Amino acid sequence: MGIEERKERERQMRRQQIMDAAKKVFASKGFGGATMENIAEEAEFSPATLYLYFKNKDELFASLNLRMLQDLISRVEGVRDQKDLVPEKRIMALEKALYEVYLEDPLNVVNVLRFQSRGRLKSLSPELSGQIRECTRQYIRAIADLFQEGVRQGAFLDCHPVAFAEIVWSIFAGLVLNEDTKRGLDEGKDLLEPTLILALEIIGRGIMKN
Amino acid sequence: MGIEERKERERQMRRQQIMDAAKKVFASKGFGGATMENIAEEAEFSPATLYLYFKNKDELFASLNLRMLQDLISRVEGVRDQKDLVPEKRIMALEKALYEVYLEDPLNVVNVLRFQSRGRLKSLSPELSGQIRECTRQYIRAIADLFQEGVRQGAFLDCHPVAFAEIVWSIFAGLVLNEDTKRGLDEGKDLLEPTLILALEIIGRGIMKN
DNA sequence: ATGTTCTCTGAATACTGTTTAGTGAATAAA
DNA sequence: TTTATTCACTAAACAGTATTCAGAGAACAT
């Protein structure tokens, strides 16, 4: 049946169209400032139509997170798989990967990090929240593997690899949010990159066996 | 005029009463989940009355942040002033101070960290946002001083002290939010303390001149 | 006793996420 | 070709909540 397939394809395109519009609107107004009406207008649909493709506003937003998380995963796994680099260099390659994810779409990264609270995640469908959980597991796992490889080679001190991965991730998330907060209080310049580099240099030295 | 003074005192008490109620409600429902009606009910006032004491919901919430930030400042300055400890121990004392702030009221700490976005801070009165800026400056300054003291004593590597302070703060904020997110996705146990200790041990080693 | 100020509230307003009931076109069946 | 069914959408209604407004009543001053 060619008709069914064409319809499904069209449906996916419209879904994508809504996500593109949402991404634009969320980036310019933030999660709270964006209204479903804004997004509908940008996507050239009525607000009601959005609900045929997404359960609610949270779920629409979280679907965008998923795209970002997948980008993150592929970059971090890329670093994990560069087995030729010495462990020390790979920590810095990780820094670069994280920063590139941020550069891809700074405002949405901030939004995503602020969004993922306990309360919000409860309102998602089990499928979507399962996918997010899986993505989180994956990039933490990739960082942990990268670290463990360094331990195996005798370069790093032996400590809980998942805890290490969470620390690296938290530094990234914390610095991103901190820069955003500073911009809210003050018109300071964006010092994320040098600070992130310094942080991972310190971390790198801190886990080196000497 | 004793009457004027009594009235002012009573006014401050009612303001406090509202803040106490708000703290309770925000902690149990989060910022988004708490309604002004909930808070008014808890404080035994009508919602309209709340607006005689606070400009809006954001400002009421941010006033609570201020209490937490002041607690944070006094603890961190306490560590900064323990000049008898060796620099290495002071990094761990800092860890303890941060963790104690968290324990004081975990849910509100999470709420505060999620709240401080550019958009939100714009809706505050200049006075309040000025006070928040000042508090932020103060605890960052205290951590930076503490670090610089270690540099002066020749124990730490010389790097930008404010950047160092922001890294420490970001680790704390990032780990707190990360734990909260995990609880939202999964019913994992709270591993904040061991992870925070590990993070500051790594940081401590990373800045040590050897 | 009367006017004034202070403090509070009930009711109205405005905005926004979400649902409902229904329309018209595309498709399938007769 | 005509009729029935499904699909994709939307206008309008609904519901919840932050915020404002107009006025009541008590405390205070004259």
Side-chain angles (χ1 to χ4, degrees):
Chain A
M1 259 298 140
I3 289 177
E4 276 304 313
E5 288 162 11
R6 194 203 68 217
K7 284 198 173 180
E8 178 57 25
R9 213 165 42 236
E10 284 176 354
R11 187 177 163 76
Q12 288 306 325
M13 284 188 61
R14 285 188 296 266
R15 198 183 139 94
Q16 192 57 47
Q17 190 181 343
I18 292 170
M19 286 176 73
D20 290 341
K23 181 175 172 177
K24 203 183 286 186
V25 177
F26 282 133
S28 85
K29 306 195 171 190
F31 179 79
T35 70
M36 291 301 267
E37 200 177 345
N38 295 153
I39 297 168
E41 199 172 345
E42 179 72 33
E44 301 180 300
F45 282 112
S46 91
T49 302
L50 271 48
Y51 289 87
L52 299 175
Y53 293 85
F54 298 92
K55 187 180 151 213
N56 55 37
K57 188 183 176 186
D58 281 8
E59 186 128 348
L60 170 53
F61 185 75
S63 301
L64 298 177
N65 297 9
L66 217 51
R67 273 206 279 189
M68 193 206 88
L69 291 176
Q70 267 144 7
D71 176 38
L72 173 72
I73 288 169
S74 69
R75 285 181 199 269
V76 174
E77 288 186 341
V79 176
R80 180 196 59 190
D81 296 337
Q82 286 185 343
K83 306 260 179 181
D84 51 321
L85 284 179
V86 296
E88 197 181 350
K89 297 270 181 196
R90 288 166 83 198
I91 297 290
M92 293 325 283
L94 185 56
E95 180 279 323
K96 192 154 170 284
L98 293 174
Y99 187 61
E100 280 168 0
V101 170
Y102 170 76
L103 278 188
E104 194 70 33
D105 197 340
L107 294 167
N108 269 323
V109 170
V110 170
N111 289 338
V112 167
L113 294 176
R114 291 215 190 275
F115 177 81
Q116 305 216 347
S117 63
R118 201 164 0 165
R120 274 280 151 59
L121 291 163
K122 294 288 185 205
S123 71
L124 304 182
S125 63
E127 296 78 40
L128 186 54
S129 96
Q131 283 176 296
I132 290 178
R133 173 167 45 243
E134 185 51 29
C135 285
T136 305
R137 214 192 51 72
Q138 244 176 299
Y139 66 72
I140 288 293
R141 190 66 255 167
I143 299 175
D145 287 345
L146 186 160
F147 171 72
Q148 209 154 22
E149 173 73 15
V151 173
R152 212 185 45 72
Q153 292 182 20
F156 296 155
L157 290 168
D158 196 1
C159 66
H160 196 322
V162 171
F164 173 80
E166 287 179 350
I167 289 169
V168 170
W169 174 253
S170 295
I171 289 176
F172 172 67
L175 286 175
V176 166
L177 293 178
N178 193 51
E179 284 295 328
D180 181 60
T181 301
K182 281 199 310 189
R183 271 196 300 276
L185 286 170
D186 212 331
E187 285 312 323
K189 45 273 167 260
D190 189 338
L191 292 175
L192 177 61
E193 199 185 11
T195 314
L196 189 58
I197 290 176
L198 174 60
L200 288 196
E201 279 172 358
I202 292 175
I203 290 286
R205 258 200 303 280
I207 57 172
M208 273 299 194
K209 221 173 211 169
N210 224 341
Chain B
M1 258 299 140
I3 288 177
E4 275 306 311
E5 288 162 11
R6 193 204 68 214
K7 283 198 172 181
E8 178 56 24
R9 212 166 43 239
E10 283 176 353
R11 186 177 164 76
Q12 288 306 325
M13 283 188 62
R14 285 188 295 266
R15 199 183 139 93
Q16 193 57 47
Q17 191 179 341
I18 292 170
M19 285 175 73
D20 291 341
K23 181 175 172 178
K24 204 183 285 187
V25 177
F26 282 132
S28 85
K29 306 194 171 192
F31 179 79
T35 70
M36 291 301 268
E37 199 176 347
N38 295 153
I39 297 168
E41 199 172 345
E42 179 72 34
E44 302 180 299
F45 282 113
S46 93
T49 303
L50 272 48
Y51 289 87
L52 299 174
Y53 292 86
F54 298 92
K55 185 180 151 215
N56 55 37
K57 189 183 173 185
D58 281 8
E59 187 128 347
L60 170 54
F61 185 74
S63 301
L64 297 178
N65 296 9
L66 218 52
R67 272 206 280 189
M68 193 205 88
L69 291 176
Q70 268 144 7
D71 176 37
L72 174 73
I73 288 169
S74 70
R75 286 182 198 268
V76 174
E77 288 186 343
V79 176
R80 179 196 61 190
D81 296 337
Q82 286 185 345
K83 309 258 179 185
D84 51 321
L85 283 181
V86 295
E88 195 181 350
K89 297 268 181 203
R90 287 166 82 199
I91 297 290
M92 295 323 286
L94 185 55
E95 180 280 322
K96 191 153 170 284
L98 293 174
Y99 187 61
E100 278 168 3
V101 170
Y102 171 77
L103 278 188
E104 193 69 31
D105 197 341
L107 293 167
N108 269 325
V109 170
V110 170
N111 288 337
V112 167
L113 293 177
R114 289 209 191 278
F115 176 81
Q116 305 215 347
S117 64
R118 199 163 2 162
R120 275 279 152 57
L121 292 162
K122 293 288 181 203
S123 70
L124 304 182
S125 65
E127 295 78 42
L128 186 54
S129 97
Q131 283 177 295
I132 290 179
R133 175 168 42 244
E134 185 52 29
C135 285
T136 304
R137 214 191 52 71
Q138 242 178 298
Y139 66 71
I140 288 291
R141 188 69 254 165
I143 298 176
D145 288 346
L146 185 161
F147 172 71
Q148 210 154 22
E149 174 73 14
V151 173
R152 212 185 45 71
Q153 294 182 18
F156 296 155
L157 290 168
D158 195 0
C159 64
H160 195 322
V162 171
F164 174 80
E166 287 179 351
I167 290 169
V168 170
W169 174 252
S170 296
I171 290 176
F172 172 66
L175 285 175
V176 167
L177 293 179
N178 193 53
E179 284 296 328
D180 181 59
T181 301
K182 282 199 309 190
R183 269 196 299 275
L185 286 169
D186 214 330
E187 285 313 325
K189 44 271 168 261
D190 189 337
L191 292 175
L192 178 62
E193 199 185 12
T195 314
L196 189 58
I197 290 176
L198 175 59
L200 288 196
E201 279 173 358
I202 292 175
I203 290 287
R205 257 199 304 279
I207 56 173
M208 271 300 193
K209 219 174 213 169
N210 225 339

